[in-house]
């Protein structure tokens, strides 16, 4: 199993840090925190940090100083949180090599997505994200993240079923195809149970991309991101 990616939160406001750390932890990342810039020194001088998020309670000069000493080739990627008025500081941070600068107040989900994007660029991404009409699915953690902000867990059988549809876009899958490739989680694998599994999956994903083909089976019509 690949080692968990490591995210350092430096002087991030407590209410944001708590939610962000929980969000990242549930998606397979190891989160470490330093409340003050001086605490970050020992944390960042060690090896193994992938991404550093620096909060806006740190002065821009202190943030840039951390970036100079611990960023660069071979170092972690830095995301600096800044206030909207700090345009000059934002430009300076980017010129010094910050991977991203985010203005506060911020959306924790957006910030987590930016962290995930940086990890993917480093070859450390742990997510398999599928964007549907009303939800985003992280297949690795089996989590459905609805636009409303609520989250639901997929069962192993539902993950297997969704993976089957993703592997066969626009192809009609018969009930026999589904039973063979994504068996039910119990012994009840008759036709009607397949219908029920599809209904439950559609409801949990809040999607119309899985279409019933009368007398034939089911077809996954992928959203635009899967288009050829």
């Amino acid at each position: 199993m690949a080692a968990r990616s490591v995210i350092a939160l430096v002087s991030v406001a407590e209410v944001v840090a708590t939610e962000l750390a929980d969000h990242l932890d549930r998606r397979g990342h190891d989160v470490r925190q330093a409340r003050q810039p001086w605490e970050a020194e020992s944390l960042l001088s060690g090896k193994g940090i992938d991404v550093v998020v620096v909060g806006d309670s740190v002065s821009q000069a202190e943030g840039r100083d951390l970036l100079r000493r611990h960023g660069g080739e071979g170092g972690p990627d830095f995301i600096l949180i800044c206030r909207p008025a700090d345009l000059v500081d934002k430009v300076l941070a980017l010129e010094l090599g910050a991977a991203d600068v985010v203005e506060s107040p911020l959306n924790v989900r957006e910030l987590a997505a930016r962290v995930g994007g940086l990890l993917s660029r480093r070859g450390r991404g742990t997510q398999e994200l599928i964007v549907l009409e009303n939800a985003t699915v992280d297949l690795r953690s089996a989590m459905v993240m609805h636009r409303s902000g609520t989250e639901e867990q997929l069962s192993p059988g539902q993950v297997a079923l969704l993976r089957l549809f993703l592997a066969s876009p626009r192809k009609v899958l018969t009930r026999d195809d589904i039973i063979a490739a994504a068996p039910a989680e119990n012994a009840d694998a008759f036709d009607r149970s397949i219908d029920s599994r599809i209904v439950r999956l559609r409801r949990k994903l809040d999607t119309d991309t899985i279409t019933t083909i009368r007398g034939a089976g089911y077809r996954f019509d992928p959203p635009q991101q899967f288009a050829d």
Side-chain angles (χ1 to χ4, degrees):
M1 180 180 295
R4 288 159 65 96
S5 52
V6 181
I7 317 300
L9 307 184
V10 177
S11 300
V12 176
E14 185 173 355
V15 63
V16 174
T18 299
E19 185 179 352
L20 180 60
D22 180 66
H23 196 84
L24 293 170
D25 181 72
R26 284 185 287 119
R27 281 151 185 78
H29 307 304
D30 183 8
V31 181
R32 303 176 188 175
Q33 298 191 47
R35 301 296 181 188
Q36 300 296 330
W38 61 266
E39 294 178 316
E41 288 301 324
S42 60
L43 177 60
L44 300 183
S45 60
K47 301 296 184 181
I49 304 294
D50 294 295
V51 177
V52 181
V53 180
V54 181
D56 61 3
S57 63
V58 172
S59 72
Q60 293 299 312
E62 288 176 310
R64 291 196 299 271
D65 191 43
L66 287 173
L67 177 59
R68 285 191 191 96
R69 284 183 287 110
H70 300 288
E73 187 174 353
D77 286 322
F78 274 73
I79 298 177
L80 273 61
I81 301 173
C82 73
R83 297 179 178 86
D86 296 335
L87 178 60
V88 173
D89 290 315
K90 180 177 181 178
V91 172
L92 286 173
L94 291 171
E95 288 178 343
L96 284 172
D100 203 351
V101 180
V102 182
E103 291 185 357
S104 61
L106 51 85
N107 180 288
V108 169
R109 288 176 180 274
E110 179 187 356
L111 181 54
R114 289 172 183 259
V115 170
L118 293 178
L119 290 171
S120 294
R121 280 167 43 187
R122 296 173 69 93
R124 299 281 290 155
T126 61
Q127 295 180 322
E128 296 178 71
L129 296 181
I130 308 300
V131 180
L132 301 173
E133 313 98 299
N134 302 304
T136 299
V137 184
D138 181 353
L139 283 173
R140 188 71 66 93
S141 64
M143 184 75 70
V144 182
M145 297 168 281
H146 294 282
R147 299 283 183 266
S148 65
T150 60
E151 297 182 347
E152 293 185 82
Q153 198 76 34
L154 293 173
S155 70
Q158 288 174 328
V159 171
L161 184 55
L162 180 54
R163 286 189 184 277
L164 174 61
F165 281 120
L166 292 170
S168 308
R170 306 180 189 87
K171 177 182 177 181
V172 176
L173 299 175
T174 68
R175 289 174 175 81
D176 287 341
D177 291 333
I178 294 171
I179 291 172
E185 294 170 73
N186 55 48
D188 182 14
F190 296 108
D191 281 3
R192 286 301 173 190
S193 77
I194 296 297
D195 297 338
S196 298
R197 289 177 66 196
I198 297 295
V199 168
R200 288 194 295 270
L201 181 63
R202 277 201 201 109
R203 185 180 299 130
K204 187 168 284 191
L205 299 178
D206 191 14
T207 185
D208 293 322
T209 57
I210 301 173
T211 306
T212 301
I213 308 300
R214 188 176 296 276
Y218 300 93
R219 185 184 67 223
F220 173 61
D221 296 310
Q224 188 61 38
Q225 68 171 49
F226 293 99
D228 295 333

